[in-house]
Amino acid sequence: MPSAFLSHDSRLRETWKTAFPDLITGPLAHVPPAATLVWALRPPRPDGDAAALVAGLCRQAAGRPLILLADAPDEEEALAALAAGASGYCNGHAAPAVLAQVALAVGNGGLWIGQSLMQRLLAATARGLA
């Protein structure tokens, strides 16, 4: 499954290359047509809204799964990204093994969120059922 890693400054991280030796890289403004899984590194906070970024990239991805990467992950941002159409939200510095797990889950139609957000959502669900 070819993965495209897009970033605002076209940087490529060694962990990404380790996890996906045949990855495609590029700027956030363009989703490569050959990619079946799209990863986007969110620009630093002053550069805009994560939900708007995700919505625009999802339109370009035309049904292909999108995972938003963040150097400083935030649970509220993760929820906004998922609501805007992302299939996952992950730390941009994640280890290659974690990136491979994310790709497997999302590539098989699942969603990926961090453990703390999952626990928060499960706790809210449990309170709602009580």
Side-chain angles (χ1 to χ4, degrees), residues 109-124:
L111 295 175
W112 184 274
I113 58 173
Q115 182 178 359
S116 64
L117 179 56
M118 177 63 80
Q119 290 171 338
R120 177 178 154 193
L121 295 173
L122 290 173

Side-chain angles (χ1 to χ4, degrees), residues 8 21 36 50 65 68 100-101 107 115 120:
H8 60 285
T36 55
L68 187 64
Q101 289 176 346
Q115 182 178 359
R120 177 178 154 193

Side-chain angles (χ1 to χ4, degrees), residues 59-94:
R59 281 191 296 276
Q60 283 188 51
R64 293 172 282 170
L66 171 77
I67 299 142
L68 187 64
L69 299 161
D71 285 340
D74 176 86
E75 291 180 358
E76 296 306 318
E77 180 178 88
L79 291 172
L82 293 168
S87 296
Y89 184 87
C90 183
N91 191 317
H93 298 285

Side-chain angles (χ1 to χ4, degrees), residues 4-8 11 13 15-16 20 28 38-44 50 53-54 57 66-74 77 81 86 88-95 98-99 102 112:
F5 279 75
L6 312 177
S7 68
H8 60 285
R11 65 182 145 156
R13 297 205 171 136
T15 53
W16 302 349
F20 307 100
L28 279 175
V38 180
W39 304 72
L41 178 62
R42 187 204 193 303
L53 172 65
V54 167
L57 288 170
L66 171 77
I67 299 142
L68 187 64
L69 299 161
D71 285 340
D74 176 86
E77 180 178 88
Y89 184 87
C90 183
N91 191 317
H93 298 285
V98 172
L99 295 174
V102 174
W112 184 274

Side-chain angles (χ1 to χ4, degrees), residues 1-5 12 16-25 34-35:
M1 169 180 310
S3 286
F5 279 75
L12 175 63
W16 302 349
K17 288 192 296 189
T18 301
F20 307 100
D22 61 343
L23 64 83
I24 303 163
T25 60

